[in-house]
Amino acid sequence: AQTVTQSQPEMSVQEAETVTLSCTYDTSESDYYLFWYKQPPSRQMILVIRQEAYKQQNATENRFSVNFQKAAKSFSLKISDSQLGDAAMYFCAYKRNTGNQFYFGTGTSLTVIP
Amino acid sequence: DTAVSQTPKYLVTQMGNDKSIKCEQNLGHDTMYWYKQDSKKFLKIMFSYNNKELIINETVPNRFSPKSPDKAHLNLHINSLELGDSAVYFCASSQESRTEAFFGQGTRLTVV
């Protein structure tokens, strides 16, 4: 079974600084999808960014970018110019190209220090 | 328009009661899910339905039963509620291949 590991239960960052959240996954598939979800205190699960494994280019969404290392099975999230509103729980997730099952990591709680 | 909506948002009930949480999606997705998020924020898949067929059923007690009257709805029924059932329950939907899961706003269930 696929597993997703987030080795940082908690992280903190100064406002306006940059922080990187780590995620590794285990799979024997060559085609799959990776996601980062944000869960603020409101508890709504919000998609931050998505990466298709067949794309070599790292996905970017405004201040959020990923470092996708397919051979290393690593998918880290970089948040630039951190804002107070970025404080949340962040979940890394994996999905195979076929089928509908998502695998979530255990989450990283991000604190933004004013 | 809300893409995935679940009701109620909060549910407080006594042990032994039976309760239901409703979920509806207007995205035309073919798969819907129920996740349980415990106090440590771990997300655990409970069920998923694809075209009215149960395709995932993790080690969930028989007291939990999903009901899908149609492709747009997946309700969760819980019988004989226990203290350990207290958690946040999320409904989600997706389309096979190439899309993310869209989540409802969650239902915080508290069993007293």
Side-chain angles (χ1 to χ4, degrees), chain B residues 44-89:
Chain B
K44 177 183 175 182
I45 180 73
M46 299 179 72
F47 305 102
S48 70
Y49 260 92
N50 181 304
N51 294 324
K52 296 190 178 183
E53 182 179 359
L54 179 67
I55 59 173
I56 297 175
N57 187 347
E58 299 293 326
T59 53
V60 174
N62 293 337
R63 300 181 294 101
F64 291 80
S65 57
K67 296 282 193 298
S68 183
D70 55 57
K71 199 171 82 166
H73 296 83
L74 182 65
N75 303 324
L76 182 64
H77 297 271
I78 316 170
N79 296 324
S80 303
L81 278 155
E82 299 177 357
L83 293 177
D85 298 332
S86 296
V88 178
Y89 292 84

Side-chain angles (χ1 to χ4, degrees), chain A residues 43 100-102 104, chain B residues 4-9 11 19-25 31-37 42-50 54-60 64-78 87-94 101-109:
Chain A
R43 79 169 182 248
N100 292 294
Q101 192 168 2
F102 289 83
F104 283 88
Chain B
V4 181
S5 62
Q6 55 183 106
T7 54
K9 287 185 67 176
L11 183 56
K19 290 294 179 184
S20 296
I21 306 173
K22 295 184 177 181
C23 180
E24 176 182 4
Q25 56 98 1
T31 304
M32 296 183 70
Y33 310 82
W34 277 106
Y35 285 88
K36 178 181 179 180
Q37 187 175 42
F42 295 162
L43 273 168
K44 177 183 175 182
I45 180 73
M46 299 179 72
F47 305 102
S48 70
Y49 260 92
N50 181 304
L54 179 67
I55 59 173
I56 297 175
N57 187 347
E58 299 293 326
T59 53
V60 174
F64 291 80
S65 57
K67 296 282 193 298
S68 183
D70 55 57
K71 199 171 82 166
H73 296 83
L74 182 65
N75 303 324
L76 182 64
H77 297 271
I78 316 170
V88 178
Y89 292 84
F90 283 98
C91 176
S93 73
S94 74
F102 290 79
F103 284 80
Q105 72 272 42
T107 296
R108 180 175 293 281
L109 172 65

